[in-house]
Amino acid sequence: MKNRRVERVNNTAYYTYLLRQHFGYDSFRSIQLDIIQSIGSGHDTLGLMPTGGGKSITFQIPALAMDGICIVISPLIALMKDQVQHLKERGIKAEAVYSGLSKKETHQILDNAVFGAVKFLYVSPERLSNRLFLAKLYYMKVCFITVDEAHCISQWGYDFRPSYLKINELRKVLPSAPILALTATATPAVVTDIQEQLEFGKHNNLKPQVFSMSFRRENLSYVVRQADDKFQELLHIICSVRGSVIVYTRNRERTKEVADKLCEEGISATFYHAGLDFAIKETRQDDWQQDKVRVMVATNAFGMGIDKPDVRLVIHMDTPDSIEAYYQEAGRAGRDGKRAYAVLIYNGQDRTNLLRHVKTAFPPKDYIKKVYDHLAYFFELAINSGEGARYDFNEYLFCRRFKHHPLHLEAALAILQNSGYITYSIDNENKARVMICVTRNELYNINFLTPDEEKALNALLRHYGTLFTDMTYIDNEAIMRHTALSQDELHMTLKSLAERRIIRYVPPRHMPMITYPRQRVDSAHMIIPRNVYETMQERMSERVSKMLRYIDDNTTCRERMLLEYFGEKTDRDCGHCDVCLG
């Protein structure tokens, strides 16, 4: 097999050879091979694979067997970067295009893709409407398109993202490229909607294919516990079950509060949320994955793409908004096939909070229009102007000036975005920029550099060749690894070099951005579509209602309730949830 070419497309032996050669596995799991053969034969394909099912293999193997590039659309920059790194470590050519890259870096990656020097090109959905990307895409040889987290395209789903609707732009440019859509959670209505939104079967004469793994997890016990004192119940559970733990909370402040209280009780714990610096998040994630810390207390920003098979407990301190979100987060326990537990701790306040959350997520339309006007005053933007304009958005200053509550503001911004009036993004991936202000000879003759300054300059010169001519985007993490400096130490070192006028230094920006995709309109003429407001409000209320029913029902097997929610019929109880054991 080593020196012999095997028939490449739709050949089980060759797919298995690639699996062993690149990933070290001897055989495929569950429906992986069915999905691979379907997309390899050119069918538009939808794969439903619960967390831990091995989704990435289903597009990586067929792409390696085919000529051309696989375009992978993913909503999470951190996950894209992680998968690109893993592929590169295996000698596979992969790149990612996302906000934070310089124009030069973006051009270089896209040009390499045009000339066939990239096998996997990861892009965020927002990139799909970019004129440069679409122009370059026209000249790429694309074997197929992968849409990860495909439920995001469905307004029936729990995590609808308008940017996913732009995927159809690709089908106009690449009508012959089939689509592979992947998701971990989808009800029958979402399955149908995904296929309609992605125009399955309309661009070739092949019948679309849908493959679904069972949502049953034989080794995972679902438990609902009522407790007036949630922390004491949490403590009791953690002390009763050995092994690695994830604790989910609804807000950022609560992650720190719970982690600190666990540490006070002698349990090693740390916390994680989207507002932390990238380097801090990476360090805490590594400490937890390497079992230096037992408990990770986090918001739902944590867990996507985390490959830790021996998590024994996933505990929810607050009730999620939907069964989809709960199932996906709970499914991060027990991916090694050994007994694990998904525990939801609740009390009467959870019901009140969930019902209030529905109201908060859909403020009155007059309030939404007021926020739109206040944004224009804040940015000094006149009516019928501003198309394409981008602004740093100091949310704290805005709320203070116009007397808005942050929760109500966030909800209004989301509806304005879904209605197409603005784009609101919290971009934590913006990179620092550096330029050396002295000549090369002057740099080498500088005396009295500190050891940290010498290390930083040497690392910069080794990684980047344009520092003497351009402001260059730098990867802080790469420089930190090379110099062994912490995030704060590197920042202070570069700041010191800038103060001595050896370099120009622009730190990374961690401020949200507001973009106007169209001209500002008079709010009196603003239209908030029914499918963005009333329909979404009804569906959110329905999801919350079903989540509350799951908690309240103490007579039906927990797993049976979950399976039936996802359209999977079953005639047996699990035998190991709290209801069955009770």
Side-chain angles (χ1 to χ4, degrees), residues 450-465:
T450 68
D452 285 352
E453 288 172 341
E454 283 193 9
K455 284 192 289 186
L457 283 170
N458 286 333
L460 288 168
L461 291 169
R462 178 169 294 189
H463 282 79
Y464 306 100

Side-chain angles (χ1 to χ4, degrees), residues 227-234 254 317 345-347 350:
D228 292 329
D229 189 332
K230 287 191 174 187
F231 180 77
Q232 286 303 316
E233 185 65 27
L234 171 71
R254 201 152 145 78
M317 292 282 281
I345 306 173
Y346 88 104
N347 57 32
D350 286 81

Side-chain angles (χ1 to χ4, degrees), residues 226-514:
Q226 185 170 2
D228 292 329
D229 189 332
K230 287 191 174 187
F231 180 77
Q232 286 303 316
E233 185 65 27
L234 171 71
L235 197 59
H236 170 71
I237 295 167
I238 290 176
C239 291
S240 301
V241 179
R242 293 182 178 180
S244 188
V245 184
I246 303 174
V247 177
Y248 282 110
T249 69
R250 182 175 292 280
N251 60 56
R252 297 177 181 183
E253 294 76 16
R254 201 152 145 78
T255 61
K256 184 178 187 309
E257 174 193 328
V258 173
D260 287 346
K261 289 177 75 173
L262 286 172
C263 289
E264 289 170 9
E265 296 291 339
I267 296 170
S268 61
T270 188
F271 65 95
Y272 184 109
H273 56 71
L276 298 172
D277 283 342
F278 179 83
I280 294 173
K281 288 192 288 190
E282 193 173 57
T283 299
R284 291 181 180 178
Q285 181 178 308
D286 287 346
D287 287 346
W288 176 77
Q289 285 191 294
Q290 295 165 21
D291 294 321
K292 295 176 183 176
V293 172
R294 185 185 172 202
V295 181
M296 176 65 79
V297 187
T299 61
N300 60 7
F302 180 77
M304 195 74 72
I306 300 299
D307 187 18
K308 185 169 173 58
D310 60 344
V311 178
R312 301 272 65 87
L313 272 170
V314 170
I315 303 172
H316 283 80
M317 292 282 281
D318 301 298
T319 304
D321 297 337
S322 68
I323 286 179
E324 291 98 329
Y326 176 67
Y327 178 83
Q328 189 167 43
E329 290 159 12
R332 288 164 190 151
R335 289 168 60 172
D336 56 3
K338 298 177 182 177
R339 177 59 56 201
Y341 301 88
V343 185
L344 194 160
I345 306 173
Y346 88 104
N347 57 32
Q349 190 61 40
D350 286 81
R351 179 181 299 276
T352 304
N353 290 342
L354 279 179
L355 296 175
R356 185 189 298 133
H357 184 58
V358 176
K359 291 183 179 179
T360 303
F362 294 92
K365 289 185 178 181
D366 286 345
Y367 175 78
I368 296 167
K369 292 178 180 182
K370 187 196 297 185
V371 168
Y372 184 71
D373 285 337
H374 287 174
L375 286 172
Y377 305 153
F378 192 63
F379 300 130
E380 298 181 354
L381 189 64
I383 290 174
N384 297 327
S385 68
E387 182 176 359
R390 301 182 72 196
Y391 301 96
D392 288 338
F393 182 50
N394 187 325
E395 191 172 322
Y396 171 77
L397 184 61
F398 181 83
C399 287
R400 188 175 168 185
R401 183 177 298 176
F402 296 101
K403 296 181 172 49
H404 289 291
H405 189 285
L407 282 178
H408 299 153
L409 172 65
E410 294 274 349
L413 293 174
I415 292 169
L416 286 169
Q417 175 167 266
N418 290 350
S419 302
Y421 291 101
I422 64 165
T423 300
Y424 173 60
S425 60
I426 300 174
D427 191 356
N428 287 320
E429 297 295 329
N430 276 316
K431 295 184 176 182
R433 288 180 290 164
V434 170
M435 178 179 176
I436 295 177
C437 301
V438 297
T439 66
R440 201 175 287 270
N441 286 336
E442 288 172 334
L443 180 62
Y444 293 142
N445 289 326
I446 291 175
N447 295 318
F448 308 115
L449 289 173
T450 68
D452 285 352
E453 288 172 341
E454 283 193 9
K455 284 192 289 186
L457 283 170
N458 286 333
L460 288 168
L461 291 169
R462 178 169 294 189
H463 282 79
Y464 306 100
T466 58
L467 291 166
F468 289 97
T469 55
D470 293 310
M471 285 295 289
T472 302
Y473 286 92
I474 65 169
D475 185 339
N476 274 25
E477 284 71 45
I479 303 300
M480 285 160 57
R481 283 194 295 271
H482 189 91
T483 59
L485 295 173
S486 70
Q487 177 98 343
D488 288 341
E489 288 170 340
L490 178 60
H491 171 69
M492 294 308 296
T493 300
L494 294 177
K495 189 176 175 184
S496 171
L497 288 168
E499 287 170 352
R500 296 172 61 183
R501 310 211 174 188
I502 297 171
I503 65 170
R504 284 182 61 201
Y505 169 53
V506 179
R509 183 180 59 223
H510 299 287
M511 187 172 289
M513 295 200 73
I514 298 283

Side-chain angles (χ1 to χ4, degrees), residues 103-310:
K103 285 186 179 179
K104 184 174 182 179
E105 287 172 313
T106 303
H107 274 278
Q108 185 175 350
I109 290 170
L110 294 178
D111 286 342
N112 286 341
V114 168
F115 292 114
V118 175
K119 187 63 190 175
F120 294 93
L121 181 61
Y122 287 75
V123 297
S124 60
E126 291 77 16
R127 181 67 48 175
L128 303 181
S129 56
N130 180 275
R131 291 179 183 177
L132 170 65
F133 176 77
L134 291 173
K136 296 287 186 182
L137 185 68
Y138 184 81
Y139 296 99
M140 294 180 198
K141 183 178 182 181
V142 176
C143 53
F144 65 92
I145 301 158
T146 298
V147 181
D148 201 8
E149 307 299 333
H151 63 273
C152 293
I153 200 172
S154 173
Q155 291 194 354
W156 289 94
Y158 72 102
D159 195 18
F160 171 65
R161 304 193 189 188
S163 55
Y164 262 67
L165 298 176
K166 298 172 183 174
I167 294 172
N168 283 338
E169 296 293 321
L170 297 192
R171 301 223 81 162
K172 294 175 186 175
V173 180
L174 305 167
S176 61
I179 281 186
L180 171 59
L182 298 168
T183 184
T185 51
T187 62
V190 172
V191 168
T192 300
D193 200 26
I194 289 171
Q195 294 178 81
E196 290 177 356
Q197 295 292 346
L198 293 176
E199 300 180 353
F200 268 35
K202 292 184 179 179
H203 297 268
N204 55 40
N205 295 320
L206 299 174
K207 183 180 178 182
Q209 304 273 15
V210 178
F211 300 95
S212 177
M213 283 176 65
S214 171
F215 286 85
R216 187 185 296 279
R217 292 283 304 278
E218 298 284 0
N219 66 309
L220 186 56
S221 297
Y222 297 99
V223 179
V224 175
R225 287 279 179 85
Q226 185 170 2
D228 292 329
D229 189 332
K230 287 191 174 187
F231 180 77
Q232 286 303 316
E233 185 65 27
L234 171 71
L235 197 59
H236 170 71
I237 295 167
I238 290 176
C239 291
S240 301
V241 179
R242 293 182 178 180
S244 188
V245 184
I246 303 174
V247 177
Y248 282 110
T249 69
R250 182 175 292 280
N251 60 56
R252 297 177 181 183
E253 294 76 16
R254 201 152 145 78
T255 61
K256 184 178 187 309
E257 174 193 328
V258 173
D260 287 346
K261 289 177 75 173
L262 286 172
C263 289
E264 289 170 9
E265 296 291 339
I267 296 170
S268 61
T270 188
F271 65 95
Y272 184 109
H273 56 71
L276 298 172
D277 283 342
F278 179 83
I280 294 173
K281 288 192 288 190
E282 193 173 57
T283 299
R284 291 181 180 178
Q285 181 178 308
D286 287 346
D287 287 346
W288 176 77
Q289 285 191 294
Q290 295 165 21
D291 294 321
K292 295 176 183 176
V293 172
R294 185 185 172 202
V295 181
M296 176 65 79
V297 187
T299 61
N300 60 7
F302 180 77
M304 195 74 72
I306 300 299
D307 187 18
K308 185 169 173 58
D310 60 344

